[in-house]
Amino acid sequence: MFQRFVRPLFIASSLVILTHSSFADDTKNWQHATSLVGSPKYQQGFSHFDYVNVNAPKGGNLRLSETGSFDTINPATAKGEIATGLGLVLETLIVSSLDEISSDYGLLAEAFSHPEDYSSVTYLLRDKARWHDGMPVTPEDVIFSFESAIANDPKRKNYYKHVISAEKTGEREVTFKFDEKNNRELPHIVGQILVHPKHWWEAKNASGEQRDISRTTLEPIMGSGPYRISQISPGSSVTFERVKNYWGEDLNVNIGQNNFDKISYSYFSDRNVEFEAFKANDIDYWVENEAKRWATGYDFPAANEGKIKREQLANAYRSSGIMLGFIPNQRREIFKDQRVRRALNLAYDFEEQNRTLFYDAYKRIDSYFFGSELASSGLPEGLELDILEELRNEIPESIFTEEYRNPIAGTPQKARANLREAIKLFKEAGYETRKGKMVNAKTGEPFTFEIILNGPIIEKVALPYAQSLKKIGIDVSVRSIDPSQWVNRWRERDYDMIYYGWAQSLSPGNEQIGYWGSDAVDQSASGNYAGISNPAIDKLIQKIIFAENRDELVATTKALDRVLLANDYIIPSYTIRASRIAYWDKFERLDELPKYSIGFPTVWWSKSAE
C-alpha cells in the first residue's frame, strides 16, 4: 500500500463493492461509494462521518515536526525529497473514511460508474470543485495529473500499468480504460490519484519562468484542498493556512474536519534535538518511536504537571499489517543463496535487545502481514493448502511441513547455538572460516557488507547485530546517512542491506507487484527493495489481484506470506501495535476516535478556537 501525505495516496484493494444511487444520468449506474470489504457504511446523502464533531470550532495554530529535510514540494515526480503535508493542498477523486476497514466516498468526484467487467471507470466531477484561484477542476486536470504521474514516477507507472488511457467523455466526466478485465481494484486505485491544476503548471511563474511538473520546485504549488502553502523556508519549515473560501468545506466527507487555521512543519536533523523542541513547547505534538524514551524520558516539569498528555492508541493499527527489518539486496551476489539469508537471521538476537534496549515493549515480526487477519500461522490447510499445492514444485517443501519461526536467542547459550547453525548454513552455501574470517571457499573472497540507515536512530539495533556477525567472521559496516542521500540510494538500489519495510492494507492488490514482483526488480524506486524474482510469487500476486471473493483473497495472501517467509528475504525486526503519542494540552477531540485512525490532526481542534 502506498501512502499519501495526510490521506492515503493509494489504498490497495482486491474487492470493490459499489452501492447504487441516482445522479444526473441513471443510464451509467452512478455510484457514490466503494467498499473493499463488505458494503459501505454511509449511504447516499449521509450528512457527515460519525467520528467528527460537526460543531468543532475553526481556529488556532498547530506546530508539528519532521525528522530530516526537503528540497521539493512537487509530489508528481520521483525526484528530490518531498515536504510533508501536501495532502492538505492537493485532493483526490475519492477519499477514505476512518471508521471502516476500507471504504471511499466522493471528494472531487461526486460519483463514478464502471461496466460489469471492470474494463473502465468513469468519474463525474463535482460542478463546484474549484482550484484556489477560483478556476473549476476539470477532466483535463485529471488527465494531466494521471499522465504526469506515470511519466515522472516509475513506481506509479508500474502501479498504473494496466491503465491504457484517461479520456474526457463528458463536460465533467473522465474515463479511465484498462487493458485487462475483471480486475476489481483498478477502478478504485485511479480514484486515488492526486489531482493537479493543468493551467497552473502550464503557465509561467512570477519570474517569467515556465513551470515544469516533471521537475522539483520550491514555489508554493496550487491545489484545491482545504489548505494552501503560506510560507516556505527551504529544507527547514513549511506553513499551511486554511483556505477561508474552500469549495468543499460543506461536503459530507469534510464536515467537522480541517479545523486549524495554520499547520506548520519544522524540520530537524537530529531526533533528540527535535524532542527537546517538543519539551520546550516549540512543537505541539510528538509521535514516540523509542521504547527507552517512552519509558524514562518524560520526567520533566511540563509532563509531571499534566501540561503534556500521553496516550498509547491501537486505532491506526487495526486495519493494517507490517513487515520491517534488515533487507539484504539480492541484486548483490552474496545474498542470492537462501541459506546465507537464513544464516544472517540466526545471528540477530532480538530477545537480548528487547530486554536491554526496549523494556520488553516489542514483539518480533513473523509475517509480512503481521498484526492482521492476513498473517499466516500454523501449517496451511483448507483453501490455502489447495492454493499452495498448485505450486508445490516451485516452492520450498518446508512450507507444507514446518511453521515459520524466527530464531530465538536471549541467553548466551541460545545465541551461541544459533551462530553454530549459521556457520553450518554458510558452509553448505560454499563458505568456510579462514583465520577468523568467513570467506568463499573457492575464491577466498571475504563475506562482508554494509548496512545503510536513514539516520542514526537504528544504530543501537544495527551495531549489536554487526558485532554478532563478527563472531562468525563477517565484517559488517554500519553507516547512517542523511535523508536525501538515503532516498537516492534506495531508489537506485545502491546498497548491500537496508533497514526498511512494507505496510500492508487489509485488501492487498496491485501494489504487491511493486513489492515482490519480478517486473519490479529493475525498476527504480519500486517497493521491491529485496530484489525478489520468483515465478511462484508472481503467480500468487496475480491470484490475489483477481480474487473473486474475500475468502480467496485471504487464503491467497496467507499463501503468499508463507512463500515470502520460507525464502528468508528479510531479517525481521520488531514492532509495537500501537501509536505512542504525546501532546501539549492545547487540543480537543471526541472521546471516541475513529476505529481505524487517531484522526490527528484532521478531526481534532484547538482549545484556543473556542
Side-chain angles (χ1 to χ4, degrees), residues 373-576:
E373 66 169 327
L374 302 173
S376 60
S377 62
L379 294 178
E381 57 185 23
L383 180 57
E384 183 184 352
L385 178 59
D386 294 341
I387 293 167
L388 290 167
E389 285 286 3
E390 296 175 5
L391 300 169
R392 189 159 198 141
N393 295 330
E394 303 177 58
I395 59 180
E397 181 63 25
S398 62
I399 290 175
F400 300 94
T401 60
E402 303 173 23
E403 180 181 6
Y404 176 85
R405 296 185 186 277
N406 286 306
I408 298 176
T411 67
Q413 296 81 4
K414 291 179 179 179
R416 286 194 295 269
N418 286 345
L419 291 178
R420 286 194 294 269
E421 179 66 20
I423 292 172
K424 178 182 176 182
L425 288 172
F426 267 106
K427 184 175 181 179
E428 292 176 2
Y431 293 88
E432 63 184 20
T433 302
R434 296 179 189 171
K435 297 181 180 180
K437 300 293 183 183
M438 186 68 68
V439 301
N440 185 298
K442 291 182 178 180
T443 66
E445 183 178 357
F447 191 99
T448 182
F449 62 91
E450 178 187 56
I451 302 173
I452 63 168
L453 304 173
N454 184 14
I457 192 170
I458 300 297
E459 285 182 0
K460 65 185 67 175
V461 180
L463 290 172
Y465 178 46
Q467 287 299 313
S468 179
L469 287 167
K470 190 174 183 180
K471 293 176 182 178
I472 60 174
I474 298 174
D475 289 327
V476 179
S477 61
V478 176
R479 183 180 171 202
S480 298
I481 58 180
D482 65 77
S484 60
Q485 187 179 2
W486 159 264
V487 169
N488 289 332
R489 289 191 62 173
W490 78 251
R491 280 177 178 168
E492 300 305 321
R493 313 299 183 223
D494 182 19
Y495 53 84
D496 298 331
M497 181 180 286
I498 58 174
Y499 187 87
Y500 212 38
W502 301 267
Q504 295 280 3
S505 81
L506 292 186
S507 296
N510 273 24
E511 82 292 340
Q512 302 298 307
I513 297 172
Y515 290 169
W516 351 97
S518 298
D519 290 344
V521 171
D522 297 322
Q523 291 177 352
S524 173
S526 79
N528 195 339
Y529 313 122
I532 298 170
S533 181
N534 184 318
I537 289 175
D538 292 337
K539 292 175 183 178
L540 287 169
I541 292 171
Q542 289 302 305
K543 194 171 183 66
I544 286 172
I545 292 172
F546 290 100
E548 295 184 359
N549 53 60
R550 181 69 183 175
D551 288 344
E552 183 180 343
L553 175 67
V554 172
T556 309
T557 303
K558 288 183 176 181
L560 172 64
D561 187 32
R562 292 184 189 276
V563 177
L564 290 168
L565 290 168
N567 281 282
D568 294 289
Y569 292 130
I570 189 172
I571 296 89
S573 60
Y574 51 85
T575 187
I576 183 171

Side-chain angles (χ1 to χ4, degrees), residues 164-192:
I164 57 176
S165 68
E167 304 172 3
K168 181 177 180 179
T169 52
E171 182 182 358
R172 292 187 286 123
E173 295 179 15
V174 58
T175 298
F176 295 89
K177 294 182 178 179
F178 312 130
D179 67 0
E180 62 182 12
K181 298 179 180 180
N182 300 312
N183 184 338
R184 301 181 179 184
E185 180 185 15
L186 291 175
H188 177 78
I189 65 174
V190 294
Q192 295 286 358

Side-chain angles (χ1 to χ4, degrees), residues 79-323:
K79 296 177 182 178
E81 190 163 358
I82 303 170
T84 298
L86 297 178
L88 298 168
V89 178
L90 297 167
E91 296 181 302
T92 51
L93 295 170
I94 52 181
V95 65
S96 300
S97 66
L98 304 180
D99 59 349
E100 300 170 82
I101 289 179
S102 284
S103 289
D104 278 342
Y105 301 83
L107 182 57
L108 285 173
E110 65 174 295
F112 43 91
S113 173
H114 67 78
E116 291 186 5
D117 64 2
Y118 295 90
S119 58
S120 67
V121 64
T122 298
Y123 280 93
L124 176 65
L125 297 179
R126 294 187 188 271
D127 184 47
K128 68 175 185 177
R130 292 291 185 274
W131 300 107
H132 292 159
D133 64 358
M135 296 289 287
V137 179
T138 67
E140 287 83 359
D141 293 318
V142 179
I143 295 167
F144 170 77
S145 302
F146 168 73
E147 293 178 346
S148 297
I150 61 175
N152 301 311
D153 188 336
K155 181 182 290 188
R156 293 176 193 168
K157 181 179 181 180
N158 183 57
Y159 194 58
Y160 296 127
K161 68 179 182 179
H162 293 298
V163 184
I164 57 176
S165 68
E167 304 172 3
K168 181 177 180 179
T169 52
E171 182 182 358
R172 292 187 286 123
E173 295 179 15
V174 58
T175 298
F176 295 89
K177 294 182 178 179
F178 312 130
D179 67 0
E180 62 182 12
K181 298 179 180 180
N182 300 312
N183 184 338
R184 301 181 179 184
E185 180 185 15
L186 291 175
H188 177 78
I189 65 174
V190 294
Q192 295 286 358
I193 293 170
L194 284 172
V195 181
H196 297 263
K198 179 181 180 182
H199 71 280
W200 187 85
W201 280 103
E202 292 185 343
K204 295 181 179 180
N205 62 24
S207 300
E209 300 169 333
Q210 178 62 52
R211 297 187 181 101
D212 185 348
I213 199 169
S214 70
R215 301 175 62 182
T216 62
T217 184
L218 288 172
E219 179 187 6
I221 60 173
M222 179 182 289
S224 61
Y227 290 83
R228 59 165 53 93
I229 299 171
S230 62
Q231 187 175 355
I232 297 175
S233 178
S236 179
S237 66
V238 183
T239 299
F240 303 87
E241 65 178 14
R242 191 163 56 87
V243 176
K244 302 300 182 182
N245 58 345
Y246 169 46
W247 73 271
E249 183 171 347
D250 296 326
L251 289 180
N252 50 12
V253 295
N254 286 330
I255 293 290
Q257 304 181 54
N258 307 308
N259 300 315
F260 295 94
D261 278 347
K262 286 188 178 181
I263 300 176
S264 61
Y265 289 87
S266 297
Y267 286 74
F268 295 82
S269 60
D270 185 285
R271 183 75 172 163
N272 292 320
V273 174
E274 188 176 348
F275 184 64
E276 291 301 317
F278 170 71
K279 289 169 60 177
N281 198 12
D282 293 327
I283 300 297
D284 294 324
Y285 183 88
W286 179 260
V287 179
E288 187 56 76
N289 64 349
E290 288 192 28
K292 180 179 180 180
R293 184 162 50 220
W294 187 251
T296 66
Y298 290 81
D299 185 14
F300 56 92
N304 294 332
E305 295 167 8
K307 296 178 181 178
I308 287 177
K309 293 185 177 182
R310 290 204 296 160
E311 297 183 90
Q312 192 161 303
L313 303 169
N315 302 54
Y317 291 87
R318 291 172 180 154
S319 63
S320 65
I322 192 170
M323 171 56 83

